[in-house]
Amino acid sequence: MSSSRIQLVQGDITTLDVEVVVAAANSGLMGGGGVDGAIHRAAGPELLQACRKLGGCPTGEARMTPGFQLHAKYVIHAVGPIWDGGGYGEAELLRSAYTSSLALAQQHDVRSIAFPCISTGVYGFPKEKACEIAITAVQYWLAENALPERVTFCCFGDDDYALYEQRLSES
Ligand code: AR6
């Protein structure tokens, strides 16, 4: 693995012992299914109330709230792109969703953060491309910045876990 600051785990992101969990949100920030739904269920109804006050978030950006009933102190709501064939800036928007989350975490002196595989569920981003973008975005960030100290990729499915394991072993 390229960096001991990067970890790979498989499972439910809401159970992780990290300071920040990242939700793969939509631009309305009003909750949803998938990992976003799991995070809202685990954090409790106060999370939706906090999200309502944010007034949405453009694609490729991120916003932060407390974690409420999660172990995590904060939730970062990152909005990845909906895949539409690749000709609409999807790759750059996905990279930006990761980098914006890392920048927000750094501003709050966060030491540990966990990401799901943003945009690869309902939003349909091809998993292999998304894995490459996620890992390179994080590696570039870590090469230039001391915080967060540790970044965890949390894969839900076996397929994603295998992709990340393979890609991280090559770098
Ligand atoms: N822990 C970690 N990863 C999970 C979990 C979990 N508990 N549950 C699902 N995943 P998705 P998107 C994985 O669809 O494609 C929501 O409705 C899942 O296997 O959650 O960015 C939002 O509100 C997949 O690999 O997010 C938006 O409207 C990954 O999380 C929209 O979906 C992302 O899948 C965002 O779509």
Side-chain angles (χ1 to χ4, degrees):
M1 205 171 278
S2 62
S3 159
S4 58
R5 293 170 66 192
I6 296 180
Q7 295 188 334
L8 176 62
V9 299
Q10 184 171 11
D12 179 0
I13 201 167
T14 64
T15 65
L16 299 183
D17 183 16
V18 287
E19 281 179 59
V20 168
V21 295
V22 177
N26 56 63
S27 54
L29 297 185
M30 298 302 279
V35 67
D36 197 19
I39 289 171
H40 275 269
R41 280 193 298 279
E46 286 169 294
L47 183 60
L48 188 55
Q49 287 171 21
C51 284
R52 285 209 174 96
K53 294 182 188 149
L54 294 173
C57 174
T59 303
E61 294 187 19
R63 299 288 184 267
M64 184 181 255
T65 63
F68 298 104
Q69 287 168 52
L70 286 168
H71 303 291
K73 188 172 174 190
Y74 302 111
V75 176
I76 288 180
H77 308 263
V79 183
I82 300 172
W83 180 258
D84 191 16
Y88 294 88
E90 293 97 325
E92 194 41 53
L93 288 166
L94 185 60
R95 195 181 331 278
S96 171
Y98 280 93
T99 307
S100 302
S101 300
L102 291 163
L104 200 47
Q106 182 192 51
Q107 284 161 26
H108 289 79
D109 293 323
V110 164
R111 288 163 53 195
S112 57
I113 182 169
F115 283 99
C117 304
I118 299 171
S119 284
T120 66
V122 220
Y123 279 5
F125 206 108
K127 286 172 178 290
E128 207 168 325
K129 282 189 176 52
C131 168
E132 178 64 28
I133 291 166
I135 291 175
T136 50
V138 167
Q139 285 175 334
Y140 275 123
W141 180 271
L142 294 180
E144 300 289 334
N145 296 280
L147 288 176
E149 288 171 5
R150 184 163 58 89
V151 176
T152 301
F153 289 114
C154 178
C155 295
F156 204 52
D158 295 344
D159 47 355
D160 277 320
Y161 186 83
L163 267 177
Y164 275 74
E165 194 175 37
Q166 174 67 32
R167 176 60 183 74
L168 287 167
S169 73
E170 289 164 0
S171 46

